[in-house]
Amino acid sequence: RSTRFAADVPEVTQKLLADAQTSGGLLIAVPEARREALLAALAARGVATRAVIGRLEAADGPDDIGRIVVERAAFERGQT
C-alpha cells in the first residue's frame, strides 16, 4: 500500500483522506524545507484551515513506490 496510517488514526479519518471524491482538494505535498513557507502563504491568502498531517517516506527499493504516512498527532495539535 502507498498510504500508511498510524495505529491511532481513526478509521473515519482514514476514509475521508482516502476518498477519491474529496482528497484532491485536501492534500498538498511539499518538501519539508518549504513546509513553513507554504503554511504562511496559505494563511496570507485567507485559507482558514491548514495542517501538517504526516510525511512522505522514500521507497525501500526499485519495486517500492514509497508511501504517505498519516499521523494522528497532527490532528490533535489543531495546527493552523
Side-chain angles (χ1 to χ4, degrees):
R1 283 177 49 155
S2 60
T3 304
R4 186 178 79 208
F5 294 94
D8 58 351
V9 174
E11 184 178 355
V12 67
T13 301
Q14 294 179 29
K15 288 182 179 182
L16 176 65
L17 292 174
D19 186 339
Q21 296 178 64
T22 61
S23 63
L26 293 175
L27 302 177
I28 300 172
V30 296
E32 189 172 2
R34 296 184 56 201
R35 178 181 62 202
E36 296 305 319
L38 173 62
L39 292 171
L42 291 170
R45 287 170 177 76
V47 177
T49 304
R50 55 209 179 275
V52 176
I53 63 162
R55 66 187 187 286
L56 299 176
E57 286 187 349
D60 291 330
D63 295 329
D64 185 13
I65 61 170
R67 63 197 46 82
I68 300 168
V69 180
V70 179
E71 300 163 340
R72 181 180 174 104
F75 297 99
E76 293 175 347
R77 282 193 302 265
Q79 183 176 356
T80 59

